[in-house]
Amino acid sequence: MMTRIVGMAYLGLLALAAGCDGWKTPSGPPASLDAELRQSLSRWGTVPIGPTPAQAPALVDLGQALMFDKELSGNRDIACATCHHPVSHAGDGLALSIGTGGSGLGPSRTLGPGRQFIPRNAPTLINTGLNAPYLFWDGRVSGFGFGGGGPFQTPAGAALPSGLPTLLAAQAMFPVMNREEMRGVPGDRDRFGNPNELAEFGDSDFVGLWQAVMRRLLAIPEYVSKFNAAFPGTPSSELGFQHAATAIAAFETQALTRTNSPFDRYLQHDDAAMTAEQKRGALLFFGDKARCASCHGGPLLGGQTFSNAGVPQLGPGVGNGAPLDFGRGELFNQEFYRFAFRATPLRNVELTAPYMHDGAFADLAAVLKHYNDVPKALREYDASQLPPGLQQLYHGDDATITAVLTNLDGRLTQPLNLSEVEISELVAFLKALTDPSARDLTSLIPARVPSGLPVQE
Amino acid sequence: MTSRVVSLFLVFLAVARTASAQTIPIQTVPLVPADQFDIFPSSTLAMGGVSIAVPDTLHDPFVNPAKGARLRAARFFSSPTFYSVSRDAGAGRTFPVGAFGTAGSWFGGLALALQQLDASRSPAPFPPPPGVFADTVGFVQGNSVVPSPANLGPAPETHGNAHAFALLGTTLPGSGLSLGGSVNWAKLRALDGVDLLYPGSARVTQYGETFDARLGLLKEWEGDRSFEAIVLHERFRMTHDVTFLESFWDPGTQQFRQSARLERNRDFSKRWGAQVKYERPLTASGWRIGWLATANRMSQPNAPNTDLLNIPQDPGHANAYEVGVGVSRTYGPAVFGMDVVYQPIWSTTWAVASTPTATLDGGLIPLGGRTVENGFHFSNALFRMGFSHEVVRSLSKTAALQLGLLVRSVHYSLAQQDFVEVATRRLQESWLEWTPTWGLTLRFPELELRYRGRVSHGTDRLVATPNQFIGVADARPIGIFPPPSTLPPSLDGVHVVTHQFSISLPLR
């Protein structure tokens, strides 16, 4: 009798227990901020960045000289560093850059008579040595070459010399070609009143122009010495502008790679490197609410994709789209890419205001408020926040706004609904991307350059 | 940061060998502890583990050394034990041997066990592609920094542990009072499930030991009444050297490459415990009743540092209590037993600031100050029931079948104070675990053979996705970079199936 009772009780309990089989697994205590964040990071392939390859000192020395020497410009009045100056964190602090003919440095630089703004913002050169796969706002120089031009795709096509070691070196071939940036227009005279021979070449005569620039450089004995030291196996007669570009890229890589931010240390498992606010911002950044990482993910936090982020149209415009700037759409004439620009890598972004391809936003909070509701923000963009000289270049007409929104990135058509606190957390995270050593780059400014042209002007 | 689970979870894995009421497990997720320490023979574990009012002469000396006094003669025993976790989440084999003996009023015992545990997941199933293994790097992490290995060979698939147990006691003549002491020491190279705590790791090397010392008292009166008391102290020290193969972006080659990083984590804890128990027969024929009360005080200054979402790793301490009542009835060839146990537990864990930390209200938490404090209150309950029935009984042999069920209900509330965010969060969780048990006993005049089995239900284990370089389902490609990623382990339902075969025979 007792056995039967026990057996029944046992079977009853077993049935009760079996009935609980579908119970939901308890989730346990809330996850720690670090555990949650590290899991988010792993979803986006955001991993630490290794060291850049060591550059030969002679190459870096030559590259530094070339970077700061106005001899490379047609009118001998602007150097690479003019728009990518250490004082302005390898940018110029301007919304739209001011090229040849301008005067001054940094945000106080002014247009020369009869000149116009460069259509786009000068991106910082910090961390360009990390070899993002696309360079320039429209990605017209990329590491996806085929046919002529070797491993790189550039506007020069097959005219691009061989032997360029990196995409950054390939990119350095082109600012000297740009009339507004460095070359000047036919009839220009240089700072000494001499004819600007570089301006006389046709826009497609890449080879002729690069040879002409090299003739200028090799006419200066100090450059001959520096080139020979940097390329000891190359006779002077075989030196081309690709060697100069290689040296400039080497200098950028050596001097401007800055990847020791709190976030970088956090990626290397230093949990204390970021504050709680920064971590919360990172969770938003890499999470599903702000979705920043969908464009700014990966090891470089960007640099790999293009997006029409609904940025206000500003400036003289580019190519066939002028006075608008179709961005990558101008390059490929594809509707898909119209108004799309490179999602720029974000390390040290705190230091490189103003932001976006045309510098439409003066600070990070303004950028994030734009992203929070792009259609609304674009329609309500207040051009009075721009410097006076740019306000009349803002294209805020309905047709332009409609055109931009028509092709808006699908991820941005709906508001993100970020609160003010969340925006401030995102800003805090973006500031955690700053390598403290990038705050002051003035030690990179040489005292003089081989041409003897002024460096700080 | 937010709580403690691993710490206590690991502690109680370590002490689960007693599987009785002197050590009270604490878990905040239903992670199943495999039967790694449940290796010594028992006559009631096949009956759901009823223990309050049903004597277990085979197993009781391991729980209360004074109960060695109930051994009537010298015996040798061995109890090979095998367990496996479903979903290939772990397995182990243990081979214990031992003997108990008596000399006058003294009694004692020795036992040794060798154990082999399988890794809870396949070690490094996807090695890094040739050519992308970079120099090792050492990062600051965990509790210390150790140099990284230059090369990483294949991780061993099994690890060996060794256990030793010794007992000595005496019965004071004419008093019915027995006193005993025991030590249980284990040199551990593996603790089941620990490798799952480190998702994405290529190898987890564990080493450490656990030490348990206990003093027991048994007072027996005429009329089959007894009182027993135990005091125990336990120390648990494990070190986990975890090797991660970590991806990094190599700007020079524009490839993801991998480097090895070694992280050393320590899991230290100690516990004091005490238990009293009283048993007596009821007036009705064959019935017995028992009561017990237990108190544990645990502290864990070091806890392993894992990145698991649900299993944080904060130091803390806990006070755990237990009250229980059990009844049994022997009716001819049948024995029935049932225990009901209530376990109130209070546990506090915390995280500390590794740097001065600003709070949301403008304050500053100094270095070492608490950033988060978790207060857990558990109200757990256990129900154990089982019976044994002799199906064959003769002068030359006896055969008995055993069945049992252990049901464990866990409920806890958490009040979490976040001093950084100046916020309080509350959480309540509960779940139910049940474990059917079964057994068969064959007794011959010179030999006793036992088999027992059990299978857990309602329990989970971290089920890992292997370390992968590219192309996992949840990884999100960005542009042209295929992201290296490791899926985090998830809690998935598993069953632990345990089989034990034991043999016991007299020594002459």
Side-chain angles (χ1 to χ4, degrees), chain B residues 194-359:
Chain B
V194 163
D195 40 3
L196 291 172
L197 301 176
Y198 300 99
S201 63
R203 175 185 292 188
V204 180
T205 304
Q206 306 175 51
Y207 51 95
E209 60 184 9
T210 179
F211 175 81
D212 174 305
R214 50 184 69 198
L215 294 172
L217 173 151
L218 175 66
K219 170 68 177 173
E220 293 177 293
W221 291 278
E222 288 185 7
D224 210 11
R225 293 176 296 133
S226 67
F227 170 82
E228 59 184 280
I230 308 163
V231 177
L232 68 88
H233 178 63
E234 182 182 81
R235 287 179 178 273
F236 176 80
R237 301 171 67 87
M238 283 295 281
T239 301
H240 308 157
D241 281 348
V242 189
T243 305
F244 291 93
L245 285 181
E246 294 200 320
S247 298
F248 69 93
W249 174 250
D250 181 1
T253 61
Q254 287 191 280
Q255 288 183 62
F256 288 103
R257 303 181 72 195
Q258 289 191 307
S259 63
R261 178 174 62 88
L262 191 63
E263 174 185 312
R264 173 165 290 174
N265 284 312
R266 293 190 174 88
D267 185 16
F268 295 170
S269 66
K270 58 187 175 184
R271 171 201 302 252
W272 285 96
Q275 184 182 71
V276 292
K277 183 174 157 189
Y278 178 72
E279 260 184 273
R280 70 174 179 82
L282 289 172
T283 51
S285 171
W287 285 92
R288 291 183 65 78
I289 189 167
W291 300 270
L292 65 76
T294 309
N296 280 186
R297 166 76 177 177
M298 291 150 284
S299 62
Q300 181 138 345
N302 284 80
N305 186 18
T306 77
D307 283 339
L308 292 172
L309 284 187
N310 305 78
I311 307 182
Q313 58 281 341
D314 301 333
H317 54 67
N319 294 318
Y321 305 95
E322 181 179 70
V323 289
V325 60
V327 294
S328 68
R329 187 185 186 199
T330 303
Y331 184 82
V335 177
F336 163 72
M338 184 173 71
D339 297 342
V340 179
V341 176
Y342 174 64
Q343 296 173 334
I345 303 166
W346 288 265
S347 173
T348 305
T349 71
W350 55 85
V352 296
S354 52
T355 57
T357 302
T359 63

Side-chain angles (χ1 to χ4, degrees), chain A residues 13-24, chain B residues 432-434 458:
Chain A
L13 276 171
L14 209 57
L16 177 68
C20 302
D21 210 8
W23 282 16
K24 177 177 162 289
Chain B
L432 193 70
E433 302 169 5
W434 62 100

Side-chain angles (χ1 to χ4, degrees), chain A residues 86-391:
Chain A
V87 169
S88 304
H89 306 103
D92 60 8
L94 293 166
L96 296 180
S97 292
I98 295 173
T100 185
S103 58
L105 278 174
S108 60
R109 184 170 169 79
T110 54
L111 280 174
R115 307 287 178 173
Q116 64 176 4
F117 287 97
I118 306 295
R120 293 172 185 160
N121 175 269
T124 180
L125 297 185
I126 297 175
N127 288 339
T128 48
L130 297 179
N131 274 329
Y134 298 98
L135 293 172
F136 290 119
W137 282 106
D138 54 10
R140 62 183 179 272
V141 169
S142 75
F144 306 107
F146 49 88
F152 309 119
Q153 188 174 40
T154 73
L160 190 74
S162 61
L164 288 160
T166 62
L167 185 66
L168 186 58
Q171 182 275 337
M173 300 290 287
F174 292 96
V176 295
M177 285 295 303
N178 188 295
R179 290 191 181 280
E180 288 76 30
E181 291 180 14
M182 293 187 78
R183 188 149 74 103
V185 294
D188 276 357
R189 290 184 172 273
D190 71 12
R191 65 188 303 135
F192 304 114
N194 299 319
N196 174 354
E197 83 282 12
L198 301 183
E200 302 304 322
F201 289 90
D203 286 347
S204 58
D205 188 1
F206 294 96
V207 175
L209 178 78
W210 286 330
Q211 287 173 344
V213 177
M214 281 306 286
R215 277 196 295 276
R216 278 194 183 188
L217 294 174
L218 295 177
I220 300 170
E222 191 176 343
Y223 268 124
V224 175
S225 301
K226 285 183 181 290
F227 270 100
N228 287 337
F231 300 97
T234 307
S236 297
S237 60
E238 293 180 16
L239 288 169
F241 191 68
Q242 67 272 25
H243 295 99
T246 297
I248 292 170
F251 170 72
E252 293 177 53
T253 301
Q254 184 75 28
L256 292 170
T257 298
R258 307 290 166 141
T259 55
N260 189 30
S261 69
F263 179 67
D264 288 298
R265 296 198 300 277
Y266 187 83
L267 285 179
Q268 294 179 356
H269 297 272
D270 179 0
D271 283 350
M274 291 204 295
T275 66
E277 184 187 28
Q278 290 168 337
K279 290 174 186 175
R280 287 193 299 274
L283 263 181
L284 288 164
F285 187 96
F286 292 99
D288 288 332
K289 185 167 187 183
R291 301 195 292 265
C292 311
S294 65
C295 286
H296 294 281
L300 306 183
L301 301 176
Q304 311 158 53
T305 59
F306 298 87
S307 172
N308 173 6
V311 177
Q313 282 281 309
L314 173 65
V318 173
N320 296 327
L324 302 182
D325 185 348
F326 289 164
R328 195 158 175 82
E330 179 71 25
L331 205 61
F332 289 103
N333 195 24
Q334 290 176 358
E335 187 69 26
F336 177 77
Y337 284 119
R338 185 160 290 188
F339 302 112
F341 296 87
R342 187 179 80 134
T344 193
L346 291 185
R347 276 182 179 76
N348 302 295
V349 68
E350 173 195 3
L351 307 175
T352 59
Y355 300 107
M356 315 307 273
H357 74 274
D358 53 8
F361 302 111
D363 56 48
L364 291 170
V367 175
L368 290 165
K369 285 172 182 167
H370 170 81
Y371 277 120
N372 201 20
D373 188 345
V374 172
K376 181 170 181 283
L378 178 59
R379 289 196 177 92
E380 296 176 359
Y381 181 74
D382 180 6
S384 67
Q385 65 188 284
L386 295 168
L390 288 178
Q391 290 179 11

Side-chain angles (χ1 to χ4, degrees), chain B residues 417-458:
Chain B
Q417 280 189 283
D418 187 328
F419 300 116
V420 177
E421 307 215 356
V422 196
T424 300
R425 304 180 188 93
R426 296 187 185 280
L427 172 79
Q428 297 221 359
E429 287 279 24
S430 57
W431 71 90
L432 193 70
E433 302 169 5
W434 62 100
T435 305
T437 62
W438 59 90
L440 171 67
T441 302
L442 297 174
R443 284 195 204 94
F444 304 94
E446 300 297 318
L447 180 67
E448 185 175 294
L449 296 173
R450 288 180 182 273
Y451 161 75
R452 68 174 175 90
R454 52 182 269 161
V455 57
S456 70
H457 293 267

Side-chain angles (χ1 to χ4, degrees), chain B residues 375-446:
Chain B
F376 291 92
H377 176 214
F378 290 79
S379 297
N380 298 350
L382 287 175
F383 177 80
R384 297 187 285 250
M385 188 182 77
F387 79 99
S388 173
H389 189 267
E390 291 179 350
V391 291
V392 176
R393 189 172 199 179
S394 69
L395 287 176
S396 60
K397 63 182 176 188
T398 302
L401 289 174
Q402 293 162 315
L403 282 175
L405 180 67
L406 163 64
V407 180
R408 180 166 176 256
S409 161
V410 178
H411 174 85
Y412 70 86
S413 60
L414 163 65
Q416 181 183 77
Q417 280 189 283
D418 187 328
F419 300 116
V420 177
E421 307 215 356
V422 196
T424 300
R425 304 180 188 93
R426 296 187 185 280
L427 172 79
Q428 297 221 359
E429 287 279 24
S430 57
W431 71 90
L432 193 70
E433 302 169 5
W434 62 100
T435 305
T437 62
W438 59 90
L440 171 67
T441 302
L442 297 174
R443 284 195 204 94
F444 304 94
E446 300 297 318

Side-chain angles (χ1 to χ4, degrees), chain B residues 446-488:
Chain B
E446 300 297 318
L447 180 67
E448 185 175 294
L449 296 173
R450 288 180 182 273
Y451 161 75
R452 68 174 175 90
R454 52 182 269 161
V455 57
S456 70
H457 293 267
T459 46
D460 290 343
R461 175 152 284 204
L462 291 160
V463 176
T465 298
N467 189 21
Q468 297 189 17
F469 190 66
I470 57 171
V472 295
D474 194 43
R476 303 189 177 186
I478 310 293
I480 54 99
F481 293 155
S485 180
T486 299
L487 286 182

